[in-house]
Amino acid sequence: MFWNEKAECMNKDEKEALQLERLKKTVKHAYENIEFYKKRFDEIGLKPEDIKTLKDIEKIPFTTKSDLREAYPLGLLAVPREEIVEVHASSGTTGKPTVTAYTQDDLDIWGECIARGLKMVGAEKEYIIQNAYGYGLFTGGFGIHHGGNKMGAITLPISAGNTKRQLDTMVDFQSDILTCTPSYAAYLGESREKAGIPLEDINLKAGIHGAEMWTGEMRKRIETSLGIKAYNIYGLTEVMGPGVAQECGEQNGMHIQDDHFYPEIIDSDTGETLNYGEKGELVLTSLTKTGMPILRFRTKDLTSLIGEKCECGRTTVRMTRITGRSDDMLKIKGVMVFPSQIEKALLKIKGISPNYMIHVTRPDILDEVEVKVEASKELFSDEMKEMERVEKQIQASIRSETGLRVDVTLCEPDSLPRSEGKAVRVIDERNFE
Ligand code: ZN
């Protein structure tokens, strides 16, 4: 039931003592070996010895994505280069990529975190894990792979894409677990239906999905179309990759592997630390990384923490589903909207596929939003009147969720671009200059 019961079910005092010991060690290691941290600490007169309690972590300045970019590619190593065995990087779509480097110990811990997550969803050693996360510099593919190896399960490194082959593999190998981005899982589910493969022909039990924001409504779609339980996994390149946190069978918050990562929630504007239960930006500090330790990294991901012991027996702190990033919030006609709110609203409506795009423009002085959603085959072949009725329904649903009036267009099935990696849902063409 547990991969590492001792670590996952530790009592509060034991956990905090371990976290403090590891935090002190990490701070000292970073200060002594990384110029960037030494400079940051010296500027404010902070010494590693000043960290005497867990609360003292608040004295440490935040690390941001732009700090990592400035150190591109390998400026933040804390060990000699010969100790590094693997490197990954973010896609760098919005600037220079951020890079992370692992020692063999770091890779073992990555595998350990993923193995804990695989066990959470019921994986056994004889299970086949169809790993449809992309292999490459992206952390998804290799992260799951290291975890599958660690637990001794059968990892099938199929990588993302080639949908027909994914479905054939699912049937032929009777894969037990599917790992990929939620948008790709939804697409595979939809493709299974279209290909007329009955659910009885596949043996999937669980899916582990992350690397992009998704809603509970999307979860329902994936679960129904693939006949599985779909679980949320969280992680980010800057901190390690997937496996920092994951949902257990309760599907009620993701367990943060808090013996390896220390979580805090802050107010994005003031930087002030918030309490458990309060929503804000997640900040993570690595507690065991040796190759590239990271102190108080601002993830920009908005969530809250749950401190109570979970029904599953684990005591690790949980984080709630990410509802957006502090930097992907859209301000439309002065109203703050997260793409997740729109997804939630539209997936409540029957007869549409989980493929959508949000298009924001400002033709004159006012913002305009068009939400394009693919209709199901049945709906699309229906009368125009029925299509219009559903468009109105979607419009009303989005309005009640966000307060915004948007244009809704139902499009032909399969007409919107599909993503095999991270889905691009928002196109913002407003010119802010
Ligand atoms: Zn749990």
Side-chain angles (χ1 to χ4, degrees):
M1 184 184 180
F2 302 107
W3 173 254
N4 184 341
E5 188 170 352
K6 188 175 178 297
E8 296 174 83
C9 306
M10 217 178 269
N11 73 42
K12 195 164 178 280
D13 292 346
E14 261 181 297
K15 170 67 59 69
E16 288 181 355
L18 180 69
Q19 285 175 325
L20 180 60
E21 181 202 316
R22 289 180 167 178
L23 175 67
K24 286 179 178 172
K25 215 170 140 186
T26 298
V27 168
K28 189 166 181 285
H29 180 56
Y31 180 83
E32 288 173 356
N33 297 293
I34 307 174
E35 191 52 40
F36 165 80
Y37 285 114
K38 183 174 189 308
K39 215 171 132 226
R40 277 284 167 92
F41 274 55
D42 289 351
E43 270 164 16
I44 56 166
L46 185 66
K47 293 268 170 273
E49 308 80 77
D50 296 334
I51 308 301
K52 295 188 177 77
T53 65
L54 283 174
K55 183 96 183 134
D56 287 335
I57 197 171
E58 292 171 26
K59 295 175 181 165
I60 302 173
F62 296 116
T63 306
T64 64
K65 205 174 171 89
S66 67
D67 293 328
L68 299 193
R69 281 188 179 135
E70 274 167 40
Y72 175 87
L74 293 170
L76 291 174
L77 295 190
V79 295
R81 283 170 84 111
E82 60 265 31
E83 285 182 38
I84 299 297
V85 297
E86 194 167 308
V87 171
H88 284 276
S90 71
S91 59
T93 37
T94 53
K96 273 229 183 293
T98 50
V99 176
T100 189
Y102 311 76
T103 60
Q104 188 55 52
D105 282 347
D106 295 336
L107 284 191
D108 289 343
I109 288 167
W110 197 6
E112 158 80 19
C113 292
I114 297 281
R116 288 183 194 176
L118 286 168
K119 201 74 188 173
M120 279 183 210
V121 308
E124 296 295 343
K125 278 182 157 227
E126 66 274 19
Y127 272 25
I128 293 187
I129 300 164
Q130 183 163 337
N131 187 14
Y133 273 113
Y135 278 68
L137 281 175
F138 172 53
T139 49
F142 279 91
I144 299 290
H145 195 99
H146 292 315
N149 284 168
K150 180 86 176 182
M151 97 161 274
I154 306 163
T155 311
L156 224 148
I158 190 162
S159 197
N162 200 340
T163 302
K164 181 173 185 309
R165 190 169 189 201
Q166 298 279 357
L167 294 174
D168 289 347
T169 303
M170 239 175 240
V171 174
D172 298 343
F173 285 81
Q174 292 286 288
S175 310
D176 299 279
I177 292 178
L178 172 70
T179 52
C180 61
T181 56
S183 57
Y184 194 51
Y187 181 53
L188 285 174
E190 202 187 315
S191 306
R192 178 201 64 78
E193 286 166 355
K194 218 176 292 167
I197 303 169
L199 275 181
E200 302 81 72
D201 287 5
I202 62 173
N203 186 39
L204 284 182
K205 299 166 183 72
I208 299 177
H209 312 295
E212 61 190 25
M213 188 284 311
W214 58 310
T215 58
E217 281 67 25
M218 182 68 97
R219 168 167 16 227
K220 281 181 216 139
R221 293 282 177 126
I222 297 171
E223 293 190 332
T224 324
S225 64
L226 287 170
I228 57 172
K229 287 276 248 176
Y231 298 93
N232 208 347
I233 187 170
Y234 177 79
L236 59 178
T237 309
E238 293 83 356
V239 174
M240 173 175 80
V244 171
Q246 199 200 288
E247 272 179 339
C248 65
E250 302 297 320
Q251 292 183 317
N252 184 20
M254 294 178 270
H255 286 276
I256 299 177
Q257 305 304 348
D258 58 7
D259 51 335
H260 295 296
F261 305 96
Y262 185 80
E264 298 170 85
I265 297 289
I266 62 159
D267 178 315
S268 278
D269 296 326
T270 64
E272 188 195 332
T273 309
L274 302 177
N275 295 318
Y276 280 12
E278 290 182 292
K279 195 166 160 178
E281 179 181 338
L282 179 67
V283 169
L284 290 167
T285 298
S286 69
L287 295 175
T288 47
K289 275 175 69 166
T290 48
M292 231 179 102
I294 191 152
L295 306 180
R296 300 195 89 202
F297 180 71
R298 288 188 64 156
T299 66
K300 302 263 183 185
D301 289 321
L302 302 178
T303 179
S304 58
L305 299 178
I306 307 169
E308 294 91 56
K309 179 178 174 179
C310 181
E311 290 290 318
C312 73
R314 291 177 180 85
T315 54
T316 40
V317 169
R318 281 169 290 159
M319 59 188 270
T320 56
R321 182 177 282 279
I322 305 280
T323 49
R325 290 172 55 76
S326 55
D327 56 1
D328 76 4
M329 186 175 65
L330 293 161
K331 203 170 171 188
I332 298 167
K333 296 177 194 163
V335 181
M336 313 289 197
V337 184
F338 283 105
S340 59
Q341 290 177 284
I342 294 180
E343 176 176 307
K344 190 174 166 200
L346 64 90
L347 290 187
K348 281 181 183 157
I349 312 296
K350 287 204 172 68
I352 58 166
S353 99
N355 272 294
Y356 66 94
M357 292 282 259
I358 304 164
H359 203 163
V360 194
T361 51
R362 188 179 286 167
D364 189 13
I365 49 164
L366 280 181
D367 296 333
E368 282 185 11
V369 185
E370 185 191 15
V371 177
K372 288 186 178 169
V373 202
E374 283 178 13
S376 66
K377 234 190 203 145
E378 300 73 46
L379 176 62
F380 199 73
S381 54
D382 249 328
E383 283 181 36
M384 208 54 190
K385 245 173 119 182
E386 180 58 14
M387 294 263 286
E388 278 166 15
R389 193 189 62 80
V390 174
E391 281 175 352
K392 287 225 169 66
Q393 223 184 341
I394 296 173
Q395 207 169 31
S397 177
I398 293 176
R399 190 164 197 179
S400 89
E401 185 69 37
T402 65
L404 273 182
R405 246 198 96 77
V406 305
D407 292 324
V408 174
T409 311
L410 278 172
C411 347
E412 205 176 322
D414 289 329
S415 59
L416 294 178
R418 289 297 193 277
S419 139
E420 289 171 350
K422 286 191 187 204
V424 179
R425 302 290 200 191
V426 183
I427 298 174
D428 192 341
E429 290 184 329
R430 290 174 294 177
N431 188 353
F432 290 103
E433 281 160 32

